[in-house]
Amino acid sequence: MLRRKVPRPLRPEDAASLLRRSLDDADAFADFYGEYVRGVSAFVMRRVYDAEVALDLTSETFAVAFERRRQFRGRTAGEEQAWLYAIARNLLLHYWRRGGVERAAMARLGIETPPLTDEDIERLEQLADTDALRREVATALDNLPADQAYAVRQRVLCERSYAEVAAELGQSEQTIRARVSRGLRAIGASIEESPTRGQVPS
């Protein structure tokens, strides 16, 4: 559960890697998890806007890290952090592409994932500052060219298929895909450039 009020700071980048230690010391992976779970949770929450999905993807990130820890070649905290967030980004890409995520991560580690409480959800939203993020997304969406903004709203917010939107507008499905893709990239770039973004690696 996420109950501590103030996230502890990450270790100095030149600190020894907990992930490397976990190869010989199983308890070190628990320390690795404790070191980064809050940051990864906030990182994912800022991108999916859904606490349940954020929990799934965070769990999956650490499950993959555990399974692939022998592939890690770094030696420092900075290198292990970059490696972990690369996994999180890759899982986000897969989530967006397939439109969902399976709840199998913690089961593979033999750990039962507890259900989120209202307090957990509130804490995740505080970490992610979702109210501010929604305002940034809305502003960025309003600043898109009209054709891109409409395509993004219909595909992402209304959850219509590309084929449906293309038929309505008399355009090819590829054209609608391109508009949505360009619009989402522009929104993402606008959010990443915002001075209100936190210290979690982007």
Side-chain angles (χ1 to χ4, degrees), residues 23-43:
L23 297 178
D24 302 312
D25 178 6
D27 291 339
F29 192 82
D31 294 335
F32 173 81
Y33 178 88
E35 188 73 31
Y36 296 112
V37 64
R38 297 173 67 82
V40 172
S41 296
F43 172 82

Side-chain angles (χ1 to χ4, degrees), residues 67-86:
E67 292 170 347
R68 299 181 183 174
R69 67 194 186 284
R70 295 190 182 280
Q71 300 175 16
F72 175 63
R73 296 292 180 263
R75 294 283 178 181
T76 68
E79 289 170 325
E80 74 182 5
Q81 182 183 350
W83 185 81
L84 180 66
Y85 277 91

Side-chain angles (χ1 to χ4, degrees), residues 13 15 44 47 63 70 102 104 128 133 144 153 165 187:
E13 288 195 358
V44 174
R47 287 155 176 81
R70 295 190 182 280
E102 295 80 6
L133 182 58
L144 290 178
R153 285 191 175 97
V165 180
I187 291 172

Side-chain angles (χ1 to χ4, degrees), residues 56-57 59-60 94-95 98 100-106 108:
D56 283 342
L57 287 170
S59 298
E60 181 74 0
H94 283 294
Y95 165 72
R98 71 180 183 254
V101 65
E102 295 80 6
R103 296 175 176 271
M106 301 311 282
R108 295 212 307 272

